[in-house]
Amino acid sequence: MILVFRHFFYKNYVGLSLWPFIILKHDELKEDIVLINHEKIHLKQQQELLIVFFYFLYISEWLIRTAIYFDSYKAYQNISFEREAYSNEKNLNYTNERKAFSFIKYLTK
């Protein structure tokens, strides 16, 4: 289910997945198939980690990487979940082809 909340986002962020929703900043983003696919990848990650573990690992990894880089945006870009989603967002079949726990191989890349 896709929802639109304009005031929900910080700076340049335009989309977010909060199981089971994809939340977008603007209605026209519903047509951005790459963005929607990126968020669907996150929904798959959340599902396989029983939702709560995804959020725990996501926040933990962001905190650790923020301490390493001293830069919260660079930390965000290097979270394994984000690396997997960005690397595969243009492959519209990825969510069907994806193997479980594929984000793990992006932990050290």
Side-chain angles (χ1 to χ4, degrees):
M1 182 183 301
I2 299 175
L3 305 173
V4 177
F5 291 112
R6 294 173 191 226
H7 304 292
F8 191 72
F9 294 92
Y10 178 73
K11 292 189 180 183
N12 296 328
Y13 297 98
V14 295
L16 174 70
S17 296
L18 291 172
W19 180 262
F21 305 104
I22 294 174
I23 304 168
L24 303 173
K25 189 173 188 173
H26 301 288
D27 197 54
E28 59 272 8
L29 291 170
K30 289 179 182 178
E31 306 303 318
D32 186 337
I33 58 173
V34 172
L35 173 63
I36 299 301
N37 196 49
H38 178 101
E39 299 306 332
K40 285 181 178 179
I41 293 168
H42 287 316
L43 291 177
K44 286 283 194 177
Q45 294 165 339
Q46 292 168 21
Q47 183 179 23
E48 74 192 4
L49 289 170
L50 306 175
I51 303 159
V52 70
F53 295 110
F54 169 85
Y55 295 118
F56 175 78
L57 292 172
Y58 190 103
I59 292 167
S60 297
E61 190 175 346
W62 178 78
L63 289 170
I64 291 166
R65 292 186 185 278
T66 298
I68 292 168
Y69 299 124
F70 295 104
D71 181 334
S72 62
Y73 186 70
K74 188 172 182 181
Y76 156 79
Q77 291 176 311
N78 284 284
I79 295 170
S80 58
F81 300 110
E82 292 299 339
R83 290 172 128 183
E84 180 188 10
Y86 280 116
S87 294
N88 297 288
E89 66 187 5
K90 292 180 183 173
N91 177 356
L92 302 182
N93 292 319
Y94 184 71
T95 55
N96 295 323
E97 301 166 352
R98 179 182 183 274
K99 294 182 179 162
F101 305 101
S102 289
F103 70 90
I104 292 172
K105 64 185 167 191
Y106 293 89
L107 278 168
T108 58
K109 281 189 174 184

